[in-house]
Amino acid sequence: MKRLCTAALGLLLLSCGRSPKGDYYITPVPFTDVTVADAFWTPRLETNRLVTIPYAFEQCEETHRIDNFAVAAGVTKGFHRGYRFNDSDVYKIIEGAAYALRLHPDPELEAYVDGVIDLIAAAQEEDGYLFTAKTAFDPDNPSVRVKDRWDNIRDDHELYCVGHMYEAAVAYYQATGKRTLLDAAVKNADLIDSVFSREGLRYPPGHEEIEIGLARLYRETGEKRYLDLAKFFLDQRGDSTGHELYGEYAQDHMPVTLQKKAVGHAVRAGYLFTGMADIAALTGNTAYIKAIKTIWNDVAGNKLYLTGGIGASGGNEGFGGDYHLPNASAYCETCAAIANAMWNHRLFLMTGDAKYMDVAERTIYNNVLSGISMNGDRFFYPNRLASFSGAERSPWFGCACCPSNIVRFLPSIPGYAYAKRGNDLYVNLYLSSSTSVDLAGTTVHLIQESLYPWDGRILIKVNPKDIEKFTINLRIPGWAQGKPVPSDLYAYMETGSEPLALSINEADVPVSVKNGYVRITRLWQVGDEIRLTLPMPVRFVTAHDSVAADRGRLAVERGPLVYCAEGIDNADDQVRHLIVNPDAPISTSFRAGKLNGIQEIRMEGELLRRNSEQVLACDPVTVTLVPYYSWAHRGLTPMAVWLAADTETADPIKPPTIASTAAVSVSHGRGEEALNDQIEPASSIDHDIPRFHWWPRKGQVQWMQYDFKKPQTISQSSVYWFDDTGIGECRVPASWHLLCRVDGVWERVANSTPYTVDRDRFNTVTFRPVTADALRLEIASQPEWAGGILEWTVK
C-alpha cells in the first residue's frame, strides 16, 4: 500500500446522505461544506491524509486483515488469522478512504479500495452472511470459540463488525456512486433482519455499533426495517425473556430506558448512547432521550476525566464507581474518547445546549489528540494522566480498533464546527475555516479566522447573498465562563472569569449567554464582521474532594487545553517531586520550534527532597508545562497532569539506597524497574504505581536479583507483594527465600524471622549479617497463579 503515501486523502466522519423526515432538532453542516485553513488543524488533517490512512492500509495488509477476506472468498488458501473482530478495522479505514475520495478524487486510491471491496463482496456468503472469522474458521484459533453462526453473539462480534461495514458502505457509495459494498451491506442487513426478531433470535450484540450503522443505512436507503431492527437490538438489552443477560460489562443488566449510570466497557457504552440518540432522533422515542441525558449527568458529574476521557479501569476497559478517577492507571481508551465526542455532539444536535459541545471540545483537543502521534503513524490505546517512567505510542496493535477509529474520526472535526436550524446558525468550534449555508432564504458565506487554541481572538466575516435577518449563535465555552466542565466535578481555583469581548463592525455588543451561546439576531449584509475575544488566562483546576487521586493536587489549563509536566522539561527529569504554587508568577509564550508549535507555560515551583537524615527540603525550581496532547514525543520521560500543591502530597526525592542503586535482573517478567523505584504502595492491588509481575507464567519458580555496585553488609530485606485478587491472576506466592552471593558462591541467608506472604504490607525478613555483592529473591508461585512485586528493599 506504499503507493498511497502521496495520495490526497481527506476525511470526515459525518454522513451527508439523504435525511429522513424525522431526525435531529439541529442539522450539522456537513464536512463537504466546510473548508479548513487553520494553523492548528490543517497540519493534523494533512498528516492524516498523507500518512495515517495509507499507513493503516499497509498495516491491514501486513497483519492479514485484508487477506482474511481473500481466504473467506476462496481466493487464497488458509484460515482466518488474528482477532475475530479484525474485519471491522478494514471497514473503518475504507470509511476514511471514502471521505478522502469525496474531498480529493484520486483514481489510484479508488482503484485500490475497489479491489478490497471486491474481496469483501466475494467473501460474503450466498445468503448475505459476512464474517471472515467464521467463514474461514480456524479450529486451532481460540479467538473464535465456535464455528456456527450466531452461537456467541456476546463475544464473537459478528454484529459489531457489520455495523462498521454499513457505515463504510454508505460513505463509499456517497463518495463514488459505486454500489458493490452498499449492496453487500443491504444483503447482510436483510439477512440479520430475517434472523433477529421477537419470533427469532433475541440476542442483542455484545458490542454495540450495529445500531449506529443501521440508522445510517436507513438514512441512505429509506428502508424502515433497518430502523426497526436497530430499535429491536436496543430494546433487547436487559430483557431476560429473550436471552441470558450479559451483565453490566455490556450494558445488558437492565433495559436501556431504565439505566441511570454509566457502567461497563466504556466504548460499548459510548456506542450504545450514540445509537440511542440516533434512534431517538429518528423515531421521537422520549424514553431513550431521558435515559441518555440521565446517564450523561452521571458521567459529567462523577466519571469524566479532565481530559474528556472516560473509562477508569483497564480490567474492564471501562467505568469505575463514582469519583474513581486514578491517574497513572487511567484507561481513557482512544476509542472511548471518540465515542464520547460522538455522543456529546448528538446530544447537542438533539437539544441545542452548548454544554455538550463543551465536553466534545475538551475530549477532542485532549484525549483524542493524545491518541495519535504528530507524525501520524504511532498510537496510544489507553491515555494515562500520569506516567512514572514515560511511555511510547505503538506502531499498531493486535486489537487495532483505536488506530482505525482515528483514521475515520479526525477528519470529522470540521463537521462539528457549524450547525443550523431554521434561521439559526451555530458556531461550535473555533478554527480558521469557511462555509456556505442557506438561511432565511439566502445563501450565507461565513469565513472564520483565528489562532485558536493558542489565541482567543476570533474574527467571523458574514457575507449573505441578500440582506436578510437571521441569528448567529456563538458558543461561549464553559472554560471561558469560569467552569471547566458542566458539573462540580472540577472547578477553577480563581473565582469569576475575565470578561468576554464582542463587537460587530467594531461596535461593542453586550454579552448575554444563554445555554452556552451568545445569540446575535439582526439584518446581515455583505462585509459584516463579528469579533469575539475569549480570554485565555492560565487556570489552576481542583477536583471534587471525593476524587481521592487528585486530593492535594492541581491541574493547569489554558483555553480548551489541559497541560502536563514532562520530566524532560523539569528538574531532575522528574515530575512527582514537583510542587506548584498558584500564587507564584506565571508566564506563557508560543514556542514555534517545540512539539510542532505550542503555547508553553512556565511558573515558579519547588522540588521536594528527603535527605539521609529523613529531613524534607524544598528547592526552588521553574516548572515547565506543555499541552497534554503533545506528551510522549521526546523519548521516555515521566509525565503528570495533576501536580502536588503541598509537601504532604508530593513524593520527595529520596536518598539512594542499597536497593535503588543496584542493577536488577529477573528470570522472567515485565516492569522490573518497579522493584527498586522507592515508591511505596498504598495496597497490594495498587494499580496507580509501577509493578513487576510474571503473568501469565503460573505455578512456577521465579527469581529476581540485585547486583550491588560494591559488596554490602546486609541483614534485612522487605517485599511488598502485588496481588490483584478480584480482577486479575496475580497472587502472593506460596513461599519465598533469599540467597546471597559471597565470593562467587550463592548461599541461603540465615534468617531469624519467617518469610511471610501477607497482602497490603511489607513482608520483612531479618537474617544474620552478611557481606555480599548480590542478593537473589526466589519465589514459588501458588499453583494456577502468577505473581508480582511492587517494591523490594534491602538494609
Side-chain angles (χ1 to χ4, degrees):
M1 195 51 204
K2 290 181 171 60
R3 62 184 182 275
L4 293 182
C5 289
T6 58
L9 307 180
L11 309 168
L12 192 61
L13 179 64
L14 297 181
S15 170
C16 302
R18 299 189 298 273
S19 191
K21 217 170 188 184
D23 214 318
Y24 282 103
Y25 173 77
I26 295 169
T27 303
V29 175
F31 72 95
T32 48
D33 292 346
V34 180
T35 301
V36 177
D38 186 77
F40 184 85
W41 283 109
T42 297
R44 286 160 176 79
L45 298 179
E46 284 293 283
T47 298
N48 202 51
R49 180 175 75 88
L50 297 172
V51 177
T52 311
I53 291 180
Y55 178 81
F57 271 128
E58 289 173 8
Q59 290 297 316
C60 283
E61 290 182 351
E62 292 175 8
T63 58
H64 310 289
R65 283 166 165 81
I66 292 174
D67 191 51
N68 284 335
F69 290 99
V71 172
V75 175
T76 302
K77 292 183 178 180
F79 296 107
H80 176 278
R81 284 188 277 182
Y83 285 110
R84 56 191 177 274
F85 41 76
N86 279 357
D87 292 359
S88 65
D89 298 324
V90 179
Y91 299 143
K92 283 183 278 185
I93 299 164
I94 290 175
E95 185 182 347
Y99 301 141
L101 292 169
R102 188 145 189 182
L103 294 174
H104 302 273
D106 182 335
E108 187 176 9
L109 171 62
E110 187 171 341
Y112 176 84
V113 178
D114 284 346
V116 175
I117 289 174
D118 286 344
L119 282 178
I120 293 170
Q124 186 170 37
E125 298 186 28
E126 188 63 30
D127 63 355
Y129 185 79
L130 183 53
F131 186 56
T132 66
K134 291 200 174 181
T135 301
F137 178 72
D138 181 356
D140 295 325
N141 183 353
S143 174
V144 178
R145 293 165 179 80
V146 291
K147 182 179 180 179
D148 297 334
R149 297 178 183 183
W150 326 122
D151 273 7
N152 192 1
I153 293 298
R154 184 188 68 184
D155 298 323
D156 278 350
H157 293 355
E158 288 153 291
L159 302 181
Y160 165 80
C161 285
V162 296
H164 280 300
M165 192 258 283
Y166 301 164
E167 294 204 69
V170 171
Y172 200 73
Y173 173 68
Q174 291 172 354
T176 66
K178 296 176 180 178
R179 293 192 56 95
T180 301
L181 191 58
L182 183 62
D183 288 344
V186 167
K187 191 175 182 180
N188 179 266
D190 288 345
L191 170 67
I192 291 174
D193 182 57
S194 71
V195 171
F196 291 85
S197 67
R198 292 200 171 276
E199 294 73 35
L201 293 183
R202 295 178 60 185
Y203 300 107
H207 194 310
E208 300 89 334
E209 159 60 22
I210 194 173
E211 303 86 351
I212 301 170
L214 284 166
R216 193 162 178 181
L217 197 59
Y218 162 65
R219 285 188 174 101
E220 180 57 42
T221 65
E223 177 54 71
K224 189 171 179 295
R225 286 185 297 114
Y226 304 150
L227 177 62
D228 294 340
L229 182 59
K231 186 176 184 301
F232 168 79
F233 283 133
L234 291 177
D235 292 342
Q236 290 310 296
R237 306 197 91 80
D239 184 355
S240 60
T241 64
H243 69 286
E244 183 178 345
L245 299 184
Y246 308 154
E248 288 189 353
Y249 176 75
Q251 299 78 44
D252 188 36
H253 55 298
M254 65 174 65
V256 295
T257 54
L258 300 181
Q259 295 185 28
K260 301 181 186 301
K261 291 277 194 179
V263 297
H265 191 273
V267 183
R268 298 172 196 233
Y271 284 176
L272 170 64
F273 308 149
T274 300
M276 288 173 69
D278 279 349
I279 306 311
L282 292 165
T283 64
N285 188 307
T286 57
Y288 289 170
I289 298 171
K290 180 180 178 181
I292 57 177
K293 284 184 175 180
T294 300
I295 294 169
W296 184 89
N297 287 332
D298 176 53
V299 173
N302 303 306
K303 296 168 182 171
L304 182 71
Y305 276 93
L306 189 64
T307 56
I310 54 174
S313 168
N316 66 345
E317 295 186 316
F319 296 102
D322 289 355
Y323 304 112
H324 178 66
L325 296 166
N327 293 309
S329 61
Y331 207 67
C332 293
E333 184 181 333
T334 301
C335 280
I338 289 170
N340 195 30
M342 291 164 54
W343 174 34
N344 275 275
H345 185 231
R346 282 161 164 84
L347 283 172
F348 156 72
L349 297 176
M350 188 174 283
T351 65
D353 196 322
K355 67 184 182 182
Y356 301 117
M357 287 308 302
D358 286 349
V359 175
E361 178 186 66
R362 176 171 293 274
T363 303
I364 290 168
Y365 272 99
N366 297 290
N367 196 155
V368 171
L369 282 187
S370 169
I372 183 169
S373 71
M374 295 177 188
N375 291 333
D377 59 358
R378 295 293 183 271
F379 309 91
F380 274 148
Y381 198 109
N383 294 269
R384 317 289 189 194
L385 274 72
S387 176
F388 289 91
S389 56
E392 292 181 332
R393 293 171 180 83
S394 297
W396 199 249
F397 304 99
C399 173
C401 53
C402 294
S404 55
N405 226 350
I406 285 177
V407 161
R408 69 177 189 139
F409 179 78
L410 264 186
S412 74
I413 287 153
Y416 283 56
Y418 305 100
K420 68 173 186 174
R421 174 174 172 78
N423 292 334
D424 277 58
L425 175 68
Y426 295 84
V427 181
N428 281 322
L429 296 182
Y430 296 111
L431 67 167
S432 293
S433 57
S434 61
T435 188
S436 293
V437 294
D438 291 332
L439 294 169
T442 191
T443 299
V444 180
H445 186 59
L446 206 74
I447 301 172
Q448 183 185 159
E449 298 175 2
S450 79
L451 292 174
Y452 199 91
W454 314 123
D455 193 315
R457 292 172 294 180
I458 298 143
L459 170 64
I460 299 175
K461 300 176 181 179
V462 186
N463 296 302
K465 183 178 179 182
D466 305 302
I467 299 175
E468 292 290 351
K469 184 178 182 179
F470 51 87
T471 301
I472 295 178
N473 298 269
L474 303 178
R475 184 176 68 91
I476 307 301
W479 59 259
Q481 301 181 65
K483 290 198 70 173
V485 296
S487 71
D488 65 353
L489 186 57
Y490 303 107
Y492 293 129
M493 286 192 67
E494 307 85 344
T495 57
S497 58
E498 294 185 26
L500 311 171
L502 178 66
S503 68
I504 300 176
N505 300 331
E506 299 186 355
D508 291 343
V509 175
V511 177
S512 176
V513 181
K514 183 178 181 180
N515 289 333
Y517 290 95
V518 170
R519 289 175 54 84
I520 308 172
T521 304
R522 55 175 276 145
L523 281 171
W524 298 93
Q525 59 185 343
V526 172
D528 283 344
E529 292 187 348
I530 304 170
R531 292 182 185 272
L532 173 66
T533 300
L534 303 172
M536 288 188 172
V538 175
R539 310 294 296 267
F540 287 90
V541 185
T542 61
H544 192 286
D545 190 60
S546 297
V547 183
D550 300 334
R551 287 190 201 123
R553 298 185 180 276
L554 297 172
V556 177
E557 291 187 355
R558 184 179 182 274
L561 298 178
V562 175
Y563 276 69
C564 69
E566 285 196 281
I568 193 172
D569 295 317
N570 290 282
D572 277 26
D573 193 34
Q574 287 291 341
V575 294
R576 57 193 172 94
H577 315 308
L578 295 174
I579 300 173
V580 293
N581 179 2
D583 297 322
I586 300 173
S587 65
T588 179
S589 60
F590 189 75
R591 300 283 303 279
K594 185 173 185 177
L595 295 167
N596 287 1
I598 61 164
Q599 197 79 17
E600 183 182 76
I601 295 174
R602 295 166 69 88
M603 64 184 69
E604 294 180 10
E606 294 176 315
L607 184 71
L608 187 63
R609 297 181 183 275
R610 188 187 301 278
N611 65 22
S612 57
E613 284 77 39
Q614 302 302 306
V615 176
L616 290 175
C618 292
D619 302 335
V621 296
T622 297
V623 177
T624 300
L625 306 176
V626 299
Y628 169 75
Y629 75 77
S630 70
W631 84 283
H633 279 92
R634 296 173 289 169
L636 292 174
T637 186
M639 181 278 294
V641 168
W642 291 93
L643 302 171
D646 51 51
T647 56
E648 286 76 24
T649 306
D651 184 9
I653 295 177
K654 300 175 178 68
T657 65
I658 296 172
S660 71
T661 57
V664 181
S665 57
V666 299
S667 55
H668 297 99
R670 291 183 293 175
E672 56 265 30
E673 65 277 1
L675 291 170
N676 60 345
D677 61 11
Q678 298 184 283
I679 301 174
E680 187 163 334
S683 68
S684 285
I685 204 171
D686 191 344
H687 278 78
D688 219 25
I689 65 171
R691 59 190 178 275
F692 167 72
H693 66 85
W694 50 92
W695 183 88
R697 296 174 180 270
K698 302 174 183 178
Q700 298 180 4
V701 173
Q702 304 290 341
W703 58 261
M704 302 88 229
Q705 182 173 315
Y706 284 159
D707 284 274
F708 308 135
K709 289 187 175 181
K710 61 181 182 179
Q712 300 282 347
T713 301
I714 55 177
S715 60
Q716 188 182 90
S717 186
S718 300
V719 183
Y720 207 115
W721 304 114
F722 174 64
D723 184 314
D724 57 0
T725 296
I727 62 173
E729 297 181 321
C730 289
R731 298 293 184 273
V732 296
S735 62
W736 61 290
H737 61 264
L738 294 171
L739 301 94
C740 60
R741 188 173 64 197
V742 180
D743 297 329
V745 178
W746 288 101
E747 58 185 41
R748 285 202 186 196
V749 300
N751 59 301
S752 56
T753 58
Y755 292 103
T756 57
V757 289
D758 296 334
R759 299 176 78 250
D760 302 328
R761 72 172 183 88
F762 276 104
N763 291 261
T764 301
V765 61
T766 301
F767 48 88
R768 188 175 63 214
V770 59
T771 301
D773 63 3
L775 187 67
R776 176 175 287 189
L777 169 60
E778 288 193 352
I779 296 169
S781 300
Q782 294 187 51
E784 305 302 322
W785 299 107
I789 295 174
L790 295 170
E791 192 70 15
W792 175 25
T793 67
V794 181
K795 293 182 180 179

